[in-house]
Amino acid sequence: MKARRGAFSSLLLVGALATLGGAAAGAEERATATFAGGCFWCMQPPFEKLEGVLSTTVGYTGGHTKNPTYEEVSAGGTGHAESVEIVYDPGKIGYAKLLDVFWHNVDPLTPEAQFCDHGHQYRTAIFYHDDTQRRLAEESKQRLAQRFGRPIATEIVAATTFYPAEEYHQRYHEKNPVRYKFYRWNCGRDARLKELWGDAAPAAEAETMPRKGWNPVTFKKPDDATLAKSLTPMQYKVTQHEGTEPPFQNEYWDNHRPGIYVDVVSGEPVFSSLDKYESGTGWPSFTRPLEPGNIREREDRRLFTSRTEIRSAHADSHLGHVFDDGPAPTGKRYCMNSAALRFVPVERLEEEGYGQYLPLFAGQRDASGKE
C-alpha cells in the first residue's frame, strides 16, 4: 500500500513539474531597453510597431533630479535626457535589432543636440541594463564610427531610475497627429535622417517642406545692421535688446482672429490663436506654444528676481516670459510681446506657406465669416 502511495505521489509530482515547465516555456520573456534620441515624441513610434516590443514609455533618465517635470527637464539643469523605455520579448526581438532602429532614428554625429533641439537634455544616449547590452552597444558604436569616419557623439552609460513623463506626452503622435507631424517637419528631422542614412533612413513621417513660409534648413539670421533697418524701432528693441512694449497699446493683445503667430524676424511658427486667451495683462497670452521646438527658455534675473524668458529657437528673438499662473490644461501663461510676433490669419496660411496648419482650424471662421 505504501509503495502504491509512493508511486502515485511520484506521478503527481512529475505531472505538476510538467505543467509548470509547460507554463514557463510558453511564458512571455521580458527585458528592458532605454534610449535617448532627442525629442521623445519622435522616439516612441519607431519602436512600438516592432514585433516583440511589448510596451514603450517616454520619460526622463540619466540625471540627478528626482521625479522631474517636463518643464524642469526641457529647461535644462536636471541632467536628465528625454528618453524612451522599451519593454520587449528577447525571444522575439533581439537587442541588436533595437540598437539598429535606434541608430537609424537619430543623428549620432551631433553632441548635446538633436535636429532643432539643443541642450544636454536632447543628447543621444544608450542606457544599458546589463553587460550584454553594454557590449552590443559599444560594438555597434564602433561600427558606426567606421561607417561615418567620424567620432560618434552618443554616450553609452548604465541605466538608472527612469521617470515616466506626464500622460499627455505618452503616444503624442496619436493624440496630436497634426502637431506632431508639423513639429517633425519644422525640426528638419526627416530631412537630416535622409541626409545621414540615405535609402536606409526610416520613412518620412512629416510633409515635405513648402517653398514658401518657414524653412529651418535655409534660414540664416540677418546681421544686426540689417535688422535695425528692416524692423520697426519697437520690434528691434523688443527682439534684439529684450525690451517690453506697453500693455494694452500693442497690436495683438485683443486680437481674436483665428491664425498663427510667427517670429517677426524668422517666420518660425511659435503660437496659435487656438491657445490664446484673455489674461487681463494687456499683452497677448497663450497657454502653450504651437511648436515647442521653435522656442527656448532661459533664466532672466534682470529685474532682481528670477523669471523664465522665452526666445525663438532659430532667430534667438526675445519674445516674452512664461509664468505659472495660466489656465488649464497647462497652467502656463506665455506672456508675449506683439512686437516680436507677426500674425498670419487662417485665410492666408496657404498663400504664405503655412498651409500645413490649416487642419488645425477646420470649421473655424475668419473675420469675414468665411470658413
PDB file of all heavy atoms in Angstrom, residues 241-277:
ATOM      1  N   HIS A 241      16.992  93.512 -27.960  1.00  0.00           N
ATOM      2  CA  HIS A 241      17.505  94.086 -26.713  1.00  0.00           C
ATOM      3  C   HIS A 241      16.569  93.842 -25.527  1.00  0.00           C
ATOM      4  O   HIS A 241      16.568  94.606 -24.558  1.00  0.00           O
ATOM      5  CB  HIS A 241      17.770  95.584 -26.894  1.00  0.00           C
ATOM      6  CG  HIS A 241      18.869  95.870 -27.880  1.00  0.00           C
ATOM      7  ND1 HIS A 241      20.199  95.683 -27.596  1.00  0.00           N
ATOM      8  CD2 HIS A 241      18.801  96.267 -29.175  1.00  0.00           C
ATOM      9  CE1 HIS A 241      20.929  95.984 -28.655  1.00  0.00           C
ATOM     10  NE2 HIS A 241      20.105  96.346 -29.632  1.00  0.00           N
ATOM     11  N   GLU A 242      15.777  92.766 -25.622  1.00  0.00           N
ATOM     12  CA  GLU A 242      14.929  92.314 -24.522  1.00  0.00           C
ATOM     13  C   GLU A 242      14.031  93.417 -23.970  1.00  0.00           C
ATOM     14  O   GLU A 242      13.813  93.537 -22.756  1.00  0.00           O
ATOM     15  CB  GLU A 242      15.776  91.724 -23.387  1.00  0.00           C
ATOM     16  CG  GLU A 242      16.517  90.452 -23.736  1.00  0.00           C
ATOM     17  CD  GLU A 242      17.734  90.720 -24.606  1.00  0.00           C
ATOM     18  OE1 GLU A 242      18.488  91.660 -24.301  1.00  0.00           O
ATOM     19  OE2 GLU A 242      17.928  89.978 -25.600  1.00  0.00           O
ATOM     20  N   GLY A 243      13.507  94.244 -24.857  1.00  0.00           N
ATOM     21  CA  GLY A 243      12.610  95.306 -24.418  1.00  0.00           C
ATOM     22  C   GLY A 243      11.213  94.780 -24.146  1.00  0.00           C
ATOM     23  O   GLY A 243      10.884  93.629 -24.425  1.00  0.00           O
ATOM     24  N   THR A 244      10.365  95.654 -23.586  1.00  0.00           N
ATOM     25  CA  THR A 244       8.965  95.308 -23.315  1.00  0.00           C
ATOM     26  C   THR A 244       8.079  96.427 -23.832  1.00  0.00           C
ATOM     27  O   THR A 244       8.286  97.604 -23.487  1.00  0.00           O
ATOM     28  CB  THR A 244       8.716  95.115 -21.811  1.00  0.00           C
ATOM     29  OG1 THR A 244       9.568  94.074 -21.323  1.00  0.00           O
ATOM     30  CG2 THR A 244       7.267  94.739 -21.550  1.00  0.00           C
ATOM     31  N   GLU A 245       7.111  96.091 -24.639  1.00  0.00           N
ATOM     32  CA  GLU A 245       6.186  97.079 -25.173  1.00  0.00           C
ATOM     33  C   GLU A 245       5.138  97.428 -24.116  1.00  0.00           C
ATOM     34  O   GLU A 245       4.913  96.660 -23.168  1.00  0.00           O
ATOM     35  CB  GLU A 245       5.500  96.517 -26.420  1.00  0.00           C
ATOM     36  CG  GLU A 245       4.601  95.323 -26.114  1.00  0.00           C
ATOM     37  CD  GLU A 245       4.176  94.565 -27.361  1.00  0.00           C
ATOM     38  OE1 GLU A 245       4.640  94.888 -28.457  1.00  0.00           O
ATOM     39  OE2 GLU A 245       3.375  93.624 -27.204  1.00  0.00           O
ATOM     40  N   PRO A 246       4.467  98.568 -24.227  1.00  0.00           N
ATOM     41  CA  PRO A 246       3.450  98.938 -23.238  1.00  0.00           C
ATOM     42  C   PRO A 246       2.218  98.043 -23.326  1.00  0.00           C
ATOM     43  O   PRO A 246       1.822  97.634 -24.423  1.00  0.00           O
ATOM     44  CB  PRO A 246       3.102 100.385 -23.612  1.00  0.00           C
ATOM     45  CG  PRO A 246       3.505 100.522 -25.034  1.00  0.00           C
ATOM     46  CD  PRO A 246       4.693  99.625 -25.220  1.00  0.00           C
ATOM     47  N   PRO A 247       1.605  97.703 -22.195  1.00  0.00           N
ATOM     48  CA  PRO A 247       0.387  96.878 -22.213  1.00  0.00           C
ATOM     49  C   PRO A 247      -0.794  97.654 -22.776  1.00  0.00           C
ATOM     50  O   PRO A 247      -0.858  98.885 -22.672  1.00  0.00           O
ATOM     51  CB  PRO A 247       0.179  96.538 -20.733  1.00  0.00           C
ATOM     52  CG  PRO A 247       0.815  97.678 -19.999  1.00  0.00           C
ATOM     53  CD  PRO A 247       2.005  98.087 -20.828  1.00  0.00           C
ATOM     54  N   PHE A 248      -1.709  96.936 -23.395  1.00  0.00           N
ATOM     55  CA  PHE A 248      -2.939  97.478 -23.966  1.00  0.00           C
ATOM     56  C   PHE A 248      -2.684  98.459 -25.109  1.00  0.00           C
ATOM     57  O   PHE A 248      -3.616  99.036 -25.642  1.00  0.00           O
ATOM     58  CB  PHE A 248      -3.794  98.169 -22.887  1.00  0.00           C
ATOM     59  CG  PHE A 248      -4.177  97.261 -21.750  1.00  0.00           C
ATOM     60  CD1 PHE A 248      -3.524  97.362 -20.524  1.00  0.00           C
ATOM     61  CD2 PHE A 248      -5.149  96.286 -21.916  1.00  0.00           C
ATOM     62  CE1 PHE A 248      -3.854  96.524 -19.477  1.00  0.00           C
ATOM     63  CE2 PHE A 248      -5.485  95.447 -20.864  1.00  0.00           C
ATOM     64  CZ  PHE A 248      -4.840  95.557 -19.641  1.00  0.00           C
ATOM     65  N   GLN A 249      -1.429  98.654 -25.477  1.00  0.00           N
ATOM     66  CA  GLN A 249      -1.098  99.548 -26.581  1.00  0.00           C
ATOM     67  C   GLN A 249      -0.186  98.818 -27.559  1.00  0.00           C
ATOM     68  O   GLN A 249       0.860  99.319 -27.960  1.00  0.00           O
ATOM     69  CB  GLN A 249      -0.411 100.812 -26.062  1.00  0.00           C
ATOM     70  CG  GLN A 249      -1.262 101.633 -25.106  1.00  0.00           C
ATOM     71  CD  GLN A 249      -0.511 102.836 -24.570  1.00  0.00           C
ATOM     72  OE1 GLN A 249       0.225 103.496 -25.293  1.00  0.00           O
ATOM     73  NE2 GLN A 249      -0.699 103.134 -23.293  1.00  0.00           N
ATOM     74  N   ASN A 250      -0.608  97.623 -27.902  1.00  0.00           N
ATOM     75  CA  ASN A 250       0.152  96.817 -28.844  1.00  0.00           C
ATOM     76  C   ASN A 250      -0.819  96.099 -29.770  1.00  0.00           C
ATOM     77  O   ASN A 250      -2.019  96.060 -29.518  1.00  0.00           O
ATOM     78  CB  ASN A 250       1.070  95.838 -28.098  1.00  0.00           C
ATOM     79  CG  ASN A 250       0.311  94.964 -27.117  1.00  0.00           C
ATOM     80  OD1 ASN A 250      -0.334  94.001 -27.507  1.00  0.00           O
ATOM     81  ND2 ASN A 250       0.358  95.298 -25.820  1.00  0.00           N
ATOM     82  N   GLU A 251      -0.315  95.537 -30.825  1.00  0.00           N
ATOM     83  CA  GLU A 251      -1.150  95.094 -31.933  1.00  0.00           C
ATOM     84  C   GLU A 251      -2.056  93.900 -31.635  1.00  0.00           C
ATOM     85  O   GLU A 251      -3.168  93.822 -32.138  1.00  0.00           O
ATOM     86  CB  GLU A 251      -0.256  94.768 -33.135  1.00  0.00           C
ATOM     87  CG  GLU A 251      -1.010  94.548 -34.430  1.00  0.00           C
ATOM     88  CD  GLU A 251      -0.102  94.469 -35.637  1.00  0.00           C
ATOM     89  OE1 GLU A 251       1.123  94.531 -35.464  1.00  0.00           O
ATOM     90  OE2 GLU A 251      -0.639  94.322 -36.757  1.00  0.00           O
ATOM     91  N   TYR A 252      -1.589  92.952 -30.827  1.00  0.00           N
ATOM     92  CA  TYR A 252      -2.319  91.693 -30.747  1.00  0.00           C
ATOM     93  C   TYR A 252      -2.929  91.374 -29.385  1.00  0.00           C
ATOM     94  O   TYR A 252      -3.483  90.288 -29.209  1.00  0.00           O
ATOM     95  CB  TYR A 252      -1.380  90.535 -31.138  1.00  0.00           C
ATOM     96  CG  TYR A 252      -0.781  90.670 -32.514  1.00  0.00           C
ATOM     97  CD1 TYR A 252       0.599  90.537 -32.701  1.00  0.00           C
ATOM     98  CD2 TYR A 252      -1.567  90.936 -33.633  1.00  0.00           C
ATOM     99  CE1 TYR A 252       1.169  90.653 -33.957  1.00  0.00           C
ATOM    100  CE2 TYR A 252      -1.006  91.064 -34.893  1.00  0.00           C
ATOM    101  CZ  TYR A 252       0.361  90.927 -35.053  1.00  0.00           C
ATOM    102  OH  TYR A 252       0.919  91.050 -36.297  1.00  0.00           O
ATOM    103  N   TRP A 253      -2.866  92.263 -28.437  1.00  0.00           N
ATOM    104  CA  TRP A 253      -3.354  91.909 -27.104  1.00  0.00           C
ATOM    105  C   TRP A 253      -4.837  91.532 -27.116  1.00  0.00           C
ATOM    106  O   TRP A 253      -5.274  90.667 -26.345  1.00  0.00           O
ATOM    107  CB  TRP A 253      -3.095  93.049 -26.107  1.00  0.00           C
ATOM    108  CG  TRP A 253      -4.005  94.237 -26.251  1.00  0.00           C
ATOM    109  CD1 TRP A 253      -3.824  95.316 -27.051  1.00  0.00           C
ATOM    110  CD2 TRP A 253      -5.241  94.451 -25.562  1.00  0.00           C
ATOM    111  NE1 TRP A 253      -4.871  96.202 -26.923  1.00  0.00           N
ATOM    112  CE2 TRP A 253      -5.760  95.692 -26.008  1.00  0.00           C
ATOM    113  CE3 TRP A 253      -5.972  93.718 -24.616  1.00  0.00           C
ATOM    114  CZ2 TRP A 253      -6.959  96.209 -25.546  1.00  0.00           C
ATOM    115  CZ3 TRP A 253      -7.169  94.236 -24.158  1.00  0.00           C
ATOM    116  CH2 TRP A 253      -7.652  95.470 -24.614  1.00  0.00           C
ATOM    117  N   ASP A 254      -5.607  92.146 -28.037  1.00  0.00           N
ATOM    118  CA  ASP A 254      -7.031  91.834 -28.111  1.00  0.00           C
ATOM    119  C   ASP A 254      -7.412  91.275 -29.479  1.00  0.00           C
ATOM    120  O   ASP A 254      -8.560  91.394 -29.928  1.00  0.00           O
ATOM    121  CB  ASP A 254      -7.882  93.050 -27.775  1.00  0.00           C
ATOM    122  CG  ASP A 254      -7.658  94.212 -28.760  1.00  0.00           C
ATOM    123  OD1 ASP A 254      -6.675  94.143 -29.538  1.00  0.00           O
ATOM    124  OD2 ASP A 254      -8.459  95.161 -28.754  1.00  0.00           O
ATOM    125  N   ASN A 255      -6.457  90.665 -30.161  1.00  0.00           N
ATOM    126  CA  ASN A 255      -6.746  90.058 -31.459  1.00  0.00           C
ATOM    127  C   ASN A 255      -7.464  88.725 -31.252  1.00  0.00           C
ATOM    128  O   ASN A 255      -6.981  87.845 -30.543  1.00  0.00           O
ATOM    129  CB  ASN A 255      -5.437  89.820 -32.224  1.00  0.00           C
ATOM    130  CG  ASN A 255      -5.674  89.196 -33.592  1.00  0.00           C
ATOM    131  OD1 ASN A 255      -6.692  89.454 -34.225  1.00  0.00           O
ATOM    132  ND2 ASN A 255      -4.731  88.377 -34.037  1.00  0.00           N
ATOM    133  N   HIS A 256      -8.624  88.564 -31.875  1.00  0.00           N
ATOM    134  CA  HIS A 256      -9.425  87.345 -31.697  1.00  0.00           C
ATOM    135  C   HIS A 256      -9.565  86.542 -32.984  1.00  0.00           C
ATOM    136  O   HIS A 256     -10.327  85.574 -33.017  1.00  0.00           O
ATOM    137  CB  HIS A 256     -10.814  87.708 -31.169  1.00  0.00           C
ATOM    138  CG  HIS A 256     -10.782  88.422 -29.852  1.00  0.00           C
ATOM    139  ND1 HIS A 256     -10.457  87.794 -28.671  1.00  0.00           N
ATOM    140  CD2 HIS A 256     -11.023  89.734 -29.538  1.00  0.00           C
ATOM    141  CE1 HIS A 256     -10.507  88.677 -27.680  1.00  0.00           C
ATOM    142  NE2 HIS A 256     -10.836  89.859 -28.178  1.00  0.00           N
ATOM    143  N   ARG A 257      -8.862  86.913 -34.016  1.00  0.00           N
ATOM    144  CA  ARG A 257      -8.976  86.210 -35.292  1.00  0.00           C
ATOM    145  C   ARG A 257      -8.225  84.877 -35.230  1.00  0.00           C
ATOM    146  O   ARG A 257      -7.199  84.759 -34.553  1.00  0.00           O
ATOM    147  CB  ARG A 257      -8.413  87.069 -36.422  1.00  0.00           C
ATOM    148  CG  ARG A 257      -9.135  88.383 -36.620  1.00  0.00           C
ATOM    149  CD  ARG A 257      -8.465  89.196 -37.716  1.00  0.00           C
ATOM    150  NE  ARG A 257      -8.589  88.547 -39.027  1.00  0.00           N
ATOM    151  CZ  ARG A 257      -7.933  88.948 -40.106  1.00  0.00           C
ATOM    152  NH1 ARG A 257      -7.091  89.982 -40.032  1.00  0.00           N
ATOM    153  NH2 ARG A 257      -8.111  88.325 -41.259  1.00  0.00           N
ATOM    154  N   PRO A 258      -8.735  83.859 -35.935  1.00  0.00           N
ATOM    155  CA  PRO A 258      -8.020  82.585 -35.974  1.00  0.00           C
ATOM    156  C   PRO A 258      -6.794  82.656 -36.887  1.00  0.00           C
ATOM    157  O   PRO A 258      -6.834  83.274 -37.953  1.00  0.00           O
ATOM    158  CB  PRO A 258      -9.065  81.607 -36.528  1.00  0.00           C
ATOM    159  CG  PRO A 258      -9.977  82.455 -37.334  1.00  0.00           C
ATOM    160  CD  PRO A 258     -10.034  83.790 -36.637  1.00  0.00           C
ATOM    161  N   GLY A 259      -5.717  82.033 -36.439  1.00  0.00           N
ATOM    162  CA  GLY A 259      -4.490  82.041 -37.220  1.00  0.00           C
ATOM    163  C   GLY A 259      -3.305  81.691 -36.341  1.00  0.00           C
ATOM    164  O   GLY A 259      -3.465  81.270 -35.187  1.00  0.00           O
ATOM    165  N   ILE A 260      -2.123  81.873 -36.873  1.00  0.00           N
ATOM    166  CA  ILE A 260      -0.914  81.559 -36.113  1.00  0.00           C
ATOM    167  C   ILE A 260      -0.050  82.796 -35.956  1.00  0.00           C
ATOM    168  O   ILE A 260      -0.176  83.767 -36.713  1.00  0.00           O
ATOM    169  CB  ILE A 260      -0.100  80.420 -36.768  1.00  0.00           C
ATOM    170  CG1 ILE A 260       0.498  80.883 -38.112  1.00  0.00           C
ATOM    171  CG2 ILE A 260      -0.958  79.183 -36.964  1.00  0.00           C
ATOM    172  CD1 ILE A 260       1.477  79.879 -38.712  1.00  0.00           C
ATOM    173  N   TYR A 261       0.831  82.741 -34.976  1.00  0.00           N
ATOM    174  CA  TYR A 261       1.775  83.828 -34.715  1.00  0.00           C
ATOM    175  C   TYR A 261       3.182  83.303 -34.979  1.00  0.00           C
ATOM    176  O   TYR A 261       3.573  82.254 -34.451  1.00  0.00           O
ATOM    177  CB  TYR A 261       1.655  84.309 -33.276  1.00  0.00           C
ATOM    178  CG  TYR A 261       0.320  84.950 -32.953  1.00  0.00           C
ATOM    179  CD1 TYR A 261      -0.795  84.163 -32.653  1.00  0.00           C
ATOM    180  CD2 TYR A 261       0.163  86.332 -32.973  1.00  0.00           C
ATOM    181  CE1 TYR A 261      -2.027  84.739 -32.376  1.00  0.00           C
ATOM    182  CE2 TYR A 261      -1.065  86.925 -32.689  1.00  0.00           C
ATOM    183  CZ  TYR A 261      -2.156  86.120 -32.398  1.00  0.00           C
ATOM    184  OH  TYR A 261      -3.375  86.703 -32.118  1.00  0.00           O
ATOM    185  N   VAL A 262       3.930  84.032 -35.795  1.00  0.00           N
ATOM    186  CA  VAL A 262       5.281  83.605 -36.146  1.00  0.00           C
ATOM    187  C   VAL A 262       6.279  84.645 -35.653  1.00  0.00           C
ATOM    188  O   VAL A 262       5.934  85.811 -35.410  1.00  0.00           O
ATOM    189  CB  VAL A 262       5.428  83.403 -37.672  1.00  0.00           C
ATOM    190  CG1 VAL A 262       4.407  82.388 -38.176  1.00  0.00           C
ATOM    191  CG2 VAL A 262       5.283  84.721 -38.431  1.00  0.00           C
ATOM    192  N   ASP A 263       7.517  84.229 -35.494  1.00  0.00           N
ATOM    193  CA  ASP A 263       8.580  85.148 -35.096  1.00  0.00           C
ATOM    194  C   ASP A 263       8.731  86.222 -36.174  1.00  0.00           C
ATOM    195  O   ASP A 263       8.804  85.921 -37.363  1.00  0.00           O
ATOM    196  CB  ASP A 263       9.891  84.376 -34.934  1.00  0.00           C
ATOM    197  CG  ASP A 263      11.057  85.263 -34.561  1.00  0.00           C
ATOM    198  OD1 ASP A 263      11.598  85.941 -35.471  1.00  0.00           O
ATOM    199  OD2 ASP A 263      11.446  85.290 -33.385  1.00  0.00           O
ATOM    200  N   VAL A 264       8.786  87.484 -35.772  1.00  0.00           N
ATOM    201  CA  VAL A 264       8.811  88.585 -36.729  1.00  0.00           C
ATOM    202  C   VAL A 264      10.116  88.621 -37.525  1.00  0.00           C
ATOM    203  O   VAL A 264      10.161  89.157 -38.627  1.00  0.00           O
ATOM    204  CB  VAL A 264       8.580  89.932 -36.000  1.00  0.00           C
ATOM    205  CG1 VAL A 264       9.808  90.325 -35.169  1.00  0.00           C
ATOM    206  CG2 VAL A 264       8.201  91.044 -36.976  1.00  0.00           C
ATOM    207  N   VAL A 265      11.166  88.015 -37.002  1.00  0.00           N
ATOM    208  CA  VAL A 265      12.458  88.001 -37.697  1.00  0.00           C
ATOM    209  C   VAL A 265      12.566  86.811 -38.653  1.00  0.00           C
ATOM    210  O   VAL A 265      12.914  86.968 -39.819  1.00  0.00           O
ATOM    211  CB  VAL A 265      13.617  87.972 -36.684  1.00  0.00           C
ATOM    212  CG1 VAL A 265      14.958  87.777 -37.402  1.00  0.00           C
ATOM    213  CG2 VAL A 265      13.630  89.242 -35.857  1.00  0.00           C
ATOM    214  N   SER A 266      12.260  85.619 -38.153  1.00  0.00           N
ATOM    215  CA  SER A 266      12.491  84.402 -38.929  1.00  0.00           C
ATOM    216  C   SER A 266      11.262  83.865 -39.635  1.00  0.00           C
ATOM    217  O   SER A 266      11.369  83.189 -40.656  1.00  0.00           O
ATOM    218  CB  SER A 266      13.042  83.306 -38.019  1.00  0.00           C
ATOM    219  OG  SER A 266      12.069  82.953 -37.048  1.00  0.00           O
ATOM    220  N   GLY A 267      10.094  84.096 -39.060  1.00  0.00           N
ATOM    221  CA  GLY A 267       8.875  83.499 -39.579  1.00  0.00           C
ATOM    222  C   GLY A 267       8.592  82.127 -39.000  1.00  0.00           C
ATOM    223  O   GLY A 267       7.637  81.459 -39.400  1.00  0.00           O
ATOM    224  N   GLU A 268       9.412  81.669 -38.034  1.00  0.00           N
ATOM    225  CA  GLU A 268       9.174  80.352 -37.444  1.00  0.00           C
ATOM    226  C   GLU A 268       7.890  80.389 -36.608  1.00  0.00           C
ATOM    227  O   GLU A 268       7.683  81.303 -35.805  1.00  0.00           O
ATOM    228  CB  GLU A 268      10.367  79.893 -36.607  1.00  0.00           C
ATOM    229  CG  GLU A 268      10.779  80.832 -35.493  1.00  0.00           C
ATOM    230  CD  GLU A 268      12.178  80.523 -34.964  1.00  0.00           C
ATOM    231  OE1 GLU A 268      12.338  79.457 -34.330  1.00  0.00           O
ATOM    232  OE2 GLU A 268      13.079  81.350 -35.175  1.00  0.00           O
ATOM    233  N   PRO A 269       6.989  79.440 -36.783  1.00  0.00           N
ATOM    234  CA  PRO A 269       5.716  79.430 -36.048  1.00  0.00           C
ATOM    235  C   PRO A 269       5.958  79.202 -34.560  1.00  0.00           C
ATOM    236  O   PRO A 269       6.679  78.271 -34.175  1.00  0.00           O
ATOM    237  CB  PRO A 269       4.952  78.258 -36.664  1.00  0.00           C
ATOM    238  CG  PRO A 269       5.630  77.994 -37.973  1.00  0.00           C
ATOM    239  CD  PRO A 269       7.064  78.343 -37.755  1.00  0.00           C
ATOM    240  N   VAL A 270       5.344  80.025 -33.728  1.00  0.00           N
ATOM    241  CA  VAL A 270       5.566  79.899 -32.288  1.00  0.00           C
ATOM    242  C   VAL A 270       4.275  79.755 -31.480  1.00  0.00           C
ATOM    243  O   VAL A 270       4.253  79.040 -30.472  1.00  0.00           O
ATOM    244  CB  VAL A 270       6.402  81.089 -31.752  1.00  0.00           C
ATOM    245  CG1 VAL A 270       7.855  80.929 -32.132  1.00  0.00           C
ATOM    246  CG2 VAL A 270       5.867  82.430 -32.247  1.00  0.00           C
ATOM    247  N   PHE A 271       3.186  80.401 -31.891  1.00  0.00           N
ATOM    248  CA  PHE A 271       1.944  80.317 -31.127  1.00  0.00           C
ATOM    249  C   PHE A 271       0.739  80.273 -32.067  1.00  0.00           C
ATOM    250  O   PHE A 271       0.845  80.594 -33.248  1.00  0.00           O
ATOM    251  CB  PHE A 271       1.804  81.501 -30.155  1.00  0.00           C
ATOM    252  CG  PHE A 271       2.822  81.490 -29.056  1.00  0.00           C
ATOM    253  CD1 PHE A 271       3.965  82.274 -29.143  1.00  0.00           C
ATOM    254  CD2 PHE A 271       2.660  80.674 -27.945  1.00  0.00           C
ATOM    255  CE1 PHE A 271       4.922  82.250 -28.147  1.00  0.00           C
ATOM    256  CE2 PHE A 271       3.608  80.635 -26.935  1.00  0.00           C
ATOM    257  CZ  PHE A 271       4.748  81.423 -27.034  1.00  0.00           C
ATOM    258  N   SER A 272      -0.397  79.861 -31.508  1.00  0.00           N
ATOM    259  CA  SER A 272      -1.629  79.745 -32.274  1.00  0.00           C
ATOM    260  C   SER A 272      -2.766  80.436 -31.545  1.00  0.00           C
ATOM    261  O   SER A 272      -2.808  80.467 -30.310  1.00  0.00           O
ATOM    262  CB  SER A 272      -1.978  78.256 -32.471  1.00  0.00           C
ATOM    263  OG  SER A 272      -3.314  78.100 -32.896  1.00  0.00           O
ATOM    264  N   SER A 273      -3.715  80.951 -32.327  1.00  0.00           N
ATOM    265  CA  SER A 273      -4.901  81.564 -31.723  1.00  0.00           C
ATOM    266  C   SER A 273      -5.711  80.540 -30.947  1.00  0.00           C
ATOM    267  O   SER A 273      -6.477  80.899 -30.042  1.00  0.00           O
ATOM    268  CB  SER A 273      -5.777  82.190 -32.811  1.00  0.00           C
ATOM    269  OG  SER A 273      -6.249  81.180 -33.701  1.00  0.00           O
ATOM    270  N   LEU A 274      -5.546  79.252 -31.265  1.00  0.00           N
ATOM    271  CA  LEU A 274      -6.275  78.200 -30.564  1.00  0.00           C
ATOM    272  C   LEU A 274      -5.860  78.103 -29.099  1.00  0.00           C
ATOM    273  O   LEU A 274      -6.604  77.577 -28.270  1.00  0.00           O
ATOM    274  CB  LEU A 274      -6.038  76.854 -31.246  1.00  0.00           C
ATOM    275  CG  LEU A 274      -6.535  76.747 -32.697  1.00  0.00           C
ATOM    276  CD1 LEU A 274      -6.079  75.439 -33.314  1.00  0.00           C
ATOM    277  CD2 LEU A 274      -8.046  76.874 -32.746  1.00  0.00           C
ATOM    278  N   ASP A 275      -4.683  78.608 -28.773  1.00  0.00           N
ATOM    279  CA  ASP A 275      -4.176  78.558 -27.400  1.00  0.00           C
ATOM    280  C   ASP A 275      -4.119  79.945 -26.758  1.00  0.00           C
ATOM    281  O   ASP A 275      -3.568  80.102 -25.674  1.00  0.00           O
ATOM    282  CB  ASP A 275      -2.774  77.932 -27.390  1.00  0.00           C
ATOM    283  CG  ASP A 275      -2.761  76.564 -28.041  1.00  0.00           C
ATOM    284  OD1 ASP A 275      -3.589  75.726 -27.652  1.00  0.00           O
ATOM    285  OD2 ASP A 275      -1.928  76.333 -28.941  1.00  0.00           O
ATOM    286  N   LYS A 276      -4.694  80.941 -27.420  1.00  0.00           N
ATOM    287  CA  LYS A 276      -4.670  82.314 -26.915  1.00  0.00           C
ATOM    288  C   LYS A 276      -5.859  82.539 -25.981  1.00  0.00           C
ATOM    289  O   LYS A 276      -6.945  81.994 -26.193  1.00  0.00           O
ATOM    290  CB  LYS A 276      -4.728  83.299 -28.081  1.00  0.00           C
ATOM    291  CG  LYS A 276      -4.436  84.752 -27.732  1.00  0.00           C
ATOM    292  CD  LYS A 276      -4.325  85.577 -29.020  1.00  0.00           C
ATOM    293  CE  LYS A 276      -3.924  87.014 -28.718  1.00  0.00           C
ATOM    294  NZ  LYS A 276      -5.008  87.777 -28.099  1.00  0.00           N
ATOM    295  N   TYR A 277      -5.656  83.325 -24.943  1.00  0.00           N
ATOM    296  CA  TYR A 277      -6.758  83.614 -24.021  1.00  0.00           C
ATOM    297  C   TYR A 277      -6.594  85.020 -23.452  1.00  0.00           C
ATOM    298  O   TYR A 277      -5.525  85.639 -23.555  1.00  0.00           O
ATOM    299  CB  TYR A 277      -6.798  82.576 -22.892  1.00  0.00           C
ATOM    300  CG  TYR A 277      -5.712  82.725 -21.846  1.00  0.00           C
ATOM    301  CD1 TYR A 277      -5.975  83.329 -20.609  1.00  0.00           C
ATOM    302  CD2 TYR A 277      -4.411  82.285 -22.082  1.00  0.00           C
ATOM    303  CE1 TYR A 277      -4.978  83.478 -19.644  1.00  0.00           C
ATOM    304  CE2 TYR A 277      -3.415  82.413 -21.135  1.00  0.00           C
ATOM    305  CZ  TYR A 277      -3.700  83.016 -19.922  1.00  0.00           C
ATOM    306  OH  TYR A 277      -2.717  83.169 -18.976  1.00  0.00           O
TER     307      TYR A 277
END
